[in-house]
Amino acid sequence: MSTDNLKTPFAPKDITRRDPGLFGLPPEIWISILEHGCTFSSSIFSSVMLNLIKSPNINSTHLVRADILYDSQNTFELARTHATNGLAQEQISPHEIYLPNYNLRRTIIRKLIPRNPQLDAPLLQTCQILHSTPSPDTERHLIVYNPHTTCPTNLPWYHPVVSSLAFLHTTSSSSSTVSIHYALFPTHSELTPRLQRTAHQLLSTLHKHGTGCAAGYTKRVHHDVIIPQRRFQDTYARLKARHAKRLIDNWVECTDPAKHVFEDLAIASFLIELWRDMYYTTDRNNEQEDEDETKSHAKTKFQGFVDIGCGNGVLVDILIREGYPGWGFDARRRKSWDTFSDSVQPKLQELVLVPYALSPSDDEGSALSRKHKQSGSGVRWHNGHFPTGTFIISNHADELTPWTPLLASLTNCAFVILPCCSHDFSGAKFRASGASTHHNSDIKDETDIKYSEKPKGKQASAYASLVAWIERLALDCGYVVEKEMLRIPSTRNMALVGRTKLGKGIDVREILRREGGGEGWVERAMQLTAGKARGH
């Protein structure tokens, strides 16, 4: 199929004057809105619609996800979901409408979760999947959304003021079409401009995704591989309500507070849920367990964290306030450190890391920094030797990024790395080759482009090459590397997690020798203390 179909402007037909009965819908209840020709099959239509049911955030920025409370194809899941959501039987009973010209194939109940619970309420909605064959050469597949309310004023802002809405795929011997239809409330029977715009946007999204799938495009980036979406987003919402306003109101850096605060809130949410899995001592499947109980269980095994290259210190502040012991350091002190509480400020230190692995004859690495201490520079140093079991955070740590898996390996620590800028072991900027002796990196580019192909033979981006190189270093150190594309406001959002180690791996000094060594590290580290602090 030609990609020209993806570039054709979406121009649906107005079918508000057409009898809904022509689509098998009762005209006394329904009004037909828009119709557009399509080149994708009914199976693609069903697949796309199922994805839109599970991911309503594709259509509305006011939503983050949908929790599936019931699926008629999985009755066991219904019983389990009842328990975890604490909903009464009558609350999750399907709100179905009877359509005499269609056969019901599947029923799903979803709970729409708003992005800002303080502004919008969640909403239960029944999704009916129906089918009919009105004639030998005509087939219809219908998806109907029914909100669980009979009062239009109870609908949140993100839901159109309709009692039901339907998406229809019709296939005949000569053509295929997709169309959208409304069932209006008796008290709100006017087809307003907003309802018309909503119909256009909803049908446009369906048509775009269906056409993309028919052309063979697949989503290359997958989120929520390590931590389930629901757990991450619920924790993020909690942390955002607790910390966002305080951190933004007290912002003293020159950088954008919203970008940095929300990014670090998201990273903290991921880490808290990751640590829950790593250090939990009870049933980790119980998502509704009390928050304080979760922390107390985690702390029984959690040995603390260190944020190397902690920058503005926001991530350290959030994690400590949430009850997780740890600290962070950076080559340059930030103004924001002085805005934190008296309990957090001592946990942020101005230190330069000189890895002791650079000095084969001196485990403390002091031989490399002695001349700088004697020069009276006043610089404080850390040798990179952390207590066994410490969780190392390397969040856009730049020069420290390639050192992270090596330092973790030497002291048997777990880690998370969010690569950003590419530096070698001497601290110099360079472009990583990205060559991996283990397997190719999943990341193809810096952005999550759902329906665009990368030309064959095109060189991987500098970021993709950096991620592949850091992954190879971690694998060489013996770690099982897990990857997650974090939901953060940054294109550099790949997280590499090393929480499991298989064997000793390659000797760290052998890796250093293979990668060109670290000559010049101390001199470049000293330059960091005198240079301008970066945004992070």
Side-chain angles (χ1 to χ4, degrees):
M1 174 182 171
S2 171
T3 56
D4 291 342
N5 289 314
L6 295 175
K7 301 177 183 178
T8 304
F10 181 73
K13 295 179 183 177
D14 183 338
I15 55 173
T16 52
R17 297 183 180 276
R18 196 179 302 180
D19 182 2
L22 297 174
F23 302 95
L25 299 172
E28 64 274 13
I29 299 175
W30 291 88
I31 177 173
S32 300
I33 312 299
L34 297 170
E35 182 184 56
H36 198 285
C38 68
T39 56
F40 51 90
S41 65
S42 60
S43 61
I44 290 179
F45 167 80
S46 299
S47 176
V48 167
M49 285 305 305
L50 186 59
N51 183 53
L52 293 174
I53 288 173
K54 294 178 178 179
S55 304
N57 49 293
I58 294 175
N59 271 317
S60 174
T61 58
H62 295 278
L63 297 170
V64 293
R65 70 175 190 275
D67 291 341
I68 304 301
L69 307 184
Y70 170 77
D71 188 338
S72 60
Q73 290 191 354
N74 192 340
T75 55
F76 171 77
E77 189 67 18
L78 168 64
R80 191 184 74 83
T81 305
H82 283 184
T84 58
N85 284 278
L87 295 172
Q89 176 68 39
E90 60 272 15
Q91 288 181 282
I92 53 87
S93 296
H95 282 217
E96 297 177 328
I97 60 171
Y98 175 62
L99 296 172
N101 296 318
Y102 288 88
N103 297 314
L104 181 62
R105 286 187 166 182
R106 186 176 180 181
T107 299
I108 297 173
I109 301 177
R110 64 177 180 174
K111 183 178 181 180
L112 300 174
I113 307 298
R115 185 172 300 278
N116 190 343
Q118 297 177 328
L119 292 179
D120 299 307
L123 178 69
L124 297 186
Q125 192 181 68
T126 294
C127 305
Q128 296 176 263
I129 300 176
L130 307 103
H131 174 262
S132 74
T133 308
S135 66
D137 63 346
T138 303
E139 185 178 22
R140 293 171 178 160
H141 292 260
L142 183 70
I143 310 293
V144 181
Y145 295 168
N146 304 311
H148 286 208
T149 181
T150 58
C151 180
T153 57
N154 290 338
L155 288 171
W157 170 257
Y158 56 78
H159 194 285
V161 185
V162 296
S163 63
S164 297
L165 63 154
F167 301 87
L168 176 65
H169 183 279
T170 303
T171 303
S172 66
S173 57
S174 58
S175 65
S176 295
T177 61
V178 285
S179 54
I180 186 168
H181 312 261
Y182 286 153
L184 302 175
F185 287 104
T187 57
H188 292 68
S189 58
E190 180 186 358
L191 184 62
T192 65
R194 184 191 172 201
L195 285 177
Q196 292 175 314
R197 290 194 303 269
T198 300
H200 187 281
Q201 185 261 324
L202 292 174
L203 192 63
S204 173
T205 300
L206 166 60
H207 185 270
K208 172 185 174 182
H209 285 230
T211 304
C213 288
Y217 295 94
T218 58
K219 185 175 180 178
R220 291 201 296 241
V221 175
H222 298 277
H223 296 279
D224 315 309
V225 176
I226 299 176
I227 302 299
Q229 179 184 12
R230 177 182 173 185
R231 281 174 49 191
F232 167 79
Q233 290 179 335
D234 286 351
T235 298
Y236 176 76
R238 176 173 60 81
L239 296 188
K240 181 180 176 183
R242 279 187 182 176
H243 303 290
K245 187 177 186 304
R246 167 184 63 85
L247 291 168
I248 292 175
D249 288 349
N250 295 330
W251 194 256
V252 293
E253 304 290 349
C254 297
T255 50
D256 178 15
K259 192 265 185 189
H260 287 279
V261 168
F262 292 132
E263 180 173 322
D264 283 340
L265 284 168
I267 295 171
S269 302
F270 174 78
L271 287 172
I272 287 172
E273 289 303 318
L274 177 67
W275 293 342
R276 177 182 176 184
D277 284 350
M278 292 176 63
Y279 306 112
Y280 226 15
T281 57
T282 58
D283 180 14
R284 65 180 60 178
N285 291 320
N286 182 8
E287 298 182 2
Q288 301 298 314
E289 184 158 355
D290 181 76
E291 175 191 338
D292 293 331
E293 188 177 355
T294 296
K295 289 183 192 173
S296 65
H297 287 317
K299 289 178 184 177
T300 60
K301 295 174 62 179
F302 186 60
Q303 299 299 309
F305 70 87
V306 59
D307 186 351
I308 62 176
C310 65
N312 55 46
V314 169
L315 182 57
V316 174
D317 174 77
I318 296 169
L319 293 173
I320 290 178
R321 283 176 173 266
E322 287 298 308
Y324 295 91
W327 66 292
F329 67 88
D330 202 283
R332 283 184 58 88
R333 183 179 183 84
R334 302 297 199 271
K335 292 184 291 184
S336 56
W337 294 6
D338 294 328
T339 67
F340 299 136
S341 66
D342 292 341
S343 61
V344 173
Q345 287 188 37
K347 304 298 184 181
L348 295 166
Q349 300 183 29
E350 189 175 14
L351 297 171
V352 173
L353 184 100
V354 178
Y356 68 94
L358 282 173
S359 179
S361 61
D362 185 354
D363 283 346
E364 297 301 316
S366 59
L368 287 168
S369 59
R370 188 175 295 121
K371 63 178 181 179
H372 296 283
K373 290 183 179 179
Q374 293 172 348
S375 69
S377 64
V379 175
R380 296 172 59 212
W381 304 82
H382 193 284
N383 61 17
H385 190 287
F386 305 110
T388 298
T390 300
F391 191 96
I392 302 176
I393 301 171
S394 180
N395 173 24
H396 294 181
D398 294 349
E399 290 88 350
L400 297 179
T401 298
W403 280 103
T404 306
L406 278 65
L407 297 176
S409 178
L410 288 169
T411 52
N412 196 24
C413 295
F415 64 81
V416 64
I417 304 172
L418 278 74
C420 183
C421 300
S422 188
H423 297 263
D424 63 18
F425 283 99
S426 73
K429 291 184 178 180
F430 89 125
R431 178 176 177 125
S433 67
S436 174
T437 58
H438 299 271
H439 52 77
N440 293 327
S441 174
D442 288 341
I443 184 169
K444 299 289 196 318
D445 208 339
E446 296 178 17
T447 53
D448 177 2
I449 302 175
K450 297 177 182 178
Y451 295 117
S452 65
E453 286 186 323
K454 193 170 189 176
K456 293 182 179 180
K458 182 179 179 181
Q459 185 181 17
S461 70
Y463 179 60
S465 298
L466 172 62
V467 170
W469 181 55
I470 300 301
E471 180 186 3
R472 188 192 72 185
L473 294 174
L475 290 166
D476 287 344
C477 289
Y479 285 94
V480 175
V481 180
E482 301 171 79
K483 292 179 286 186
E484 182 74 274
M485 296 296 289
L486 298 183
R487 297 175 179 273
I488 61 175
S490 171
T491 57
R492 309 296 178 97
N493 61 338
M494 171 63 82
L496 304 177
V497 176
R499 53 176 165 171
T500 304
K501 194 175 183 185
L502 301 177
K504 294 182 178 180
I506 301 174
D507 181 78
V508 166
R509 290 184 174 87
E510 173 58 27
I511 295 175
L512 275 175
R513 185 198 63 78
R514 184 192 72 194
E515 300 295 335
E519 184 178 353
W521 172 264
V522 174
E523 289 72 17
R524 289 189 176 91
M526 286 295 295
Q527 292 173 8
L528 291 176
T529 66
K532 184 178 179 181
R534 289 185 288 263
H536 172 69

